[in-house]
Amino acid sequence: MTLKFWLLQLLGWSIFLLLAYVARPSETEVSDSLQFMATLALSGAGMAGSVLLRRVYRGLQADGYGDVRWLGIGLAASVLAAIGVDLGFHYALLLAAGFLPSLSALHEAQPAMSRAPLLAVAYMAWSLLYLAISRQTRLEQAARAQRDLQLALKDAQLQRLLSQLSPHFIFNALNNVRALILIDPELAREHLTRFSATLRYQFSGGDEALVTVAEELDVVRDYLGLVRLQLGERMEYREQVGASALTMQVPRFCLQLLVENAIKHGLAPSRGGGVLEVQVAGQGGGVRMDVRNTGQLRSQDGAGTGLANLRQRLLLSFGPAAGLRLLQQDDCVVASVWTGAAA
């Protein structure tokens, strides 16, 4: 519990203490000091009840009730808390009167439920204030998380503009398409369309932090079509995609980043090339993507800024259940991303 919560608690229940003491019965034979102590005990019991209400409200917030339902819950909980505290204090005072006869007059002057109206008003005011502050806090946290997500996306797009899609790749793709124009104009037109789609996805992706698996696969296929112009038969591509995963959302650029890293660090440097395999399937309410390539995992392969950025965006978008992992399996490097339950 935060310091701010306790400061507000002390302030609010101090005001209640003052009001309850002013409204105390004046015709009893109990001294003012003893009545003050009894009122102080009532305020303490009231504070304990508000802490219990806080636990109830925090437990219910995950259910996403609307404003009207929250208002009804707050009013009902306030009345029940007031009745519970009043009856508890009434019987505690009755028990104390057995040991201290001077409290009998105070107990008789304040029968059961006599304190409940004031307590109910106090709890209703407390509940409305607490729920309003809690809602504002959640809205601020959501807005802050959205801003962080947008900043992470902008950073990812900048990373790709500066390094992921290098001028070397662009020049090679254009030169290969130019050479195809004289040999196979139709194939050259097809690769030029892929090149245009790849550039469009890279440079004009918009502000959408998440895209569907189908969208990510489309741009990966276009990209691989261009890469095949350079690698030719050195690259064997395989793909296994579950139909149910196609509509699931993933961070923009995530699959393409894994594929580009596999080619850049695994297939392109190897004279013999190798196999590139993409596997996508639903898992734990989310999606899991595995990119396998022939090669050896190096210590620096998982330390790039692109992968660090992707880990941050996974955390912001899906929470700690999502993750990214690189590992060596026999003669293959496997890069895995998941957005649901832990892999």
Side-chain angles (χ1 to χ4, degrees):
M1 297 182 185
T2 63
L3 177 61
K4 180 180 178 181
F5 172 78
W6 283 114
L7 290 177
L8 291 175
Q9 283 280 84
L10 290 174
L11 175 61
W13 288 106
S14 294
I15 295 175
F16 175 85
L17 170 63
L18 178 62
L19 294 176
Y21 182 71
V22 170
R24 72 190 187 280
S26 58
E27 66 277 10
T28 66
E29 300 176 359
V30 182
S31 65
D32 288 343
S33 60
L34 197 55
Q35 290 197 58
F36 177 81
M37 295 300 297
T39 308
L40 181 62
L42 177 63
S43 301
M47 181 183 292
S50 65
V51 173
L52 180 60
L53 280 179
R54 180 177 186 260
R55 293 178 62 89
V56 172
Y57 293 154
R58 296 187 69 176
L60 291 175
Q61 281 174 358
D63 293 333
Y65 294 136
D67 292 342
V68 175
R69 180 172 288 188
W70 266 120
L71 180 61
I73 291 174
L75 293 177
S78 298
V79 172
L80 290 176
I83 293 173
V85 171
D86 181 277
L87 292 178
F89 187 80
H90 174 78
Y91 289 110
L93 194 61
L94 175 62
L95 181 63
F99 299 95
L100 192 61
S102 59
L103 290 177
S104 298
L106 181 61
H107 175 262
E108 293 173 359
Q110 293 184 303
M113 304 304 293
S114 62
R115 294 162 291 266
L118 182 59
L119 283 167
V121 172
Y123 280 135
M124 289 177 188
W126 183 94
S127 296
L128 291 175
L129 180 62
Y130 176 80
L131 292 175
I133 293 175
S134 297
R135 179 179 179 179
Q136 184 62 32
T137 300
R138 291 196 303 274
L139 290 175
E140 291 174 355
Q141 290 173 344
R144 185 164 54 250
Q146 182 65 23
R147 288 195 298 269
D148 291 343
L149 184 58
Q150 294 298 330
L151 289 175
L153 174 62
K154 293 297 184 183
D155 185 55
Q157 292 172 330
L158 180 61
Q159 292 280 348
R160 301 188 70 79
L161 292 176
L162 295 177
S163 61
Q164 304 270 327
L165 188 64
S166 65
H168 179 71
F169 163 73
I170 296 175
F171 295 146
N172 281 346
L174 288 175
N175 287 333
N176 289 330
V177 171
R178 184 182 64 178
L180 276 176
I181 291 176
L182 298 177
I183 302 173
D184 190 340
E186 188 63 30
L187 184 59
R189 188 181 299 109
E190 178 185 339
H191 283 297
L192 191 59
T193 301
R194 288 174 174 170
F195 182 65
S196 175
T198 302
L199 288 182
R200 186 181 302 110
Y201 191 80
Q202 296 282 349
F203 291 97
S204 59
D207 293 331
E208 294 83 3
L210 302 176
V211 296
T212 64
V213 170
E215 290 178 277
E216 194 75 3
L217 279 170
D218 284 343
V219 77
V220 165
R221 291 163 184 157
D222 287 334
Y223 172 76
L224 290 176
L226 295 170
V227 170
R228 198 177 292 279
L229 289 175
Q230 302 173 28
L231 298 183
E233 298 301 322
R234 293 168 55 202
M235 182 182 71
E236 178 184 351
Y237 178 62
R238 303 170 186 169
E239 185 180 284
Q240 296 180 15
V241 181
S244 62
L246 290 175
T247 57
M248 294 183 179
Q249 292 192 314
V250 294
R252 179 180 287 273
F253 305 132
C254 67
L255 185 57
Q256 189 182 12
L257 173 62
L258 299 184
V259 169
E260 288 179 4
N261 281 350
I263 294 173
K264 179 180 179 181
H265 299 295
L267 303 185
S270 173
R271 291 185 177 181
V275 177
L276 175 67
E277 183 175 2
V278 172
Q279 296 179 336
V280 184
Q283 173 183 284
V287 62
R288 174 174 175 142
M289 298 173 289
D290 294 318
V291 176
R292 301 172 182 268
N293 66 275
T294 306
Q296 295 294 317
L297 180 63
R298 299 172 299 176
S299 59
Q300 66 269 29
D301 286 349
T305 54
L307 294 181
N309 181 275
L310 178 54
R311 286 189 174 95
Q312 181 185 4
R313 290 188 292 128
L314 284 166
L315 178 63
L316 288 171
S317 298
F318 301 100
L324 184 156
R325 180 177 61 207
L326 272 70
L327 53 84
Q328 184 78 44
Q329 287 185 352
D330 298 328
D331 62 343
C332 291
V333 177
V334 182
S336 301
V337 165
W338 60 92
T339 63

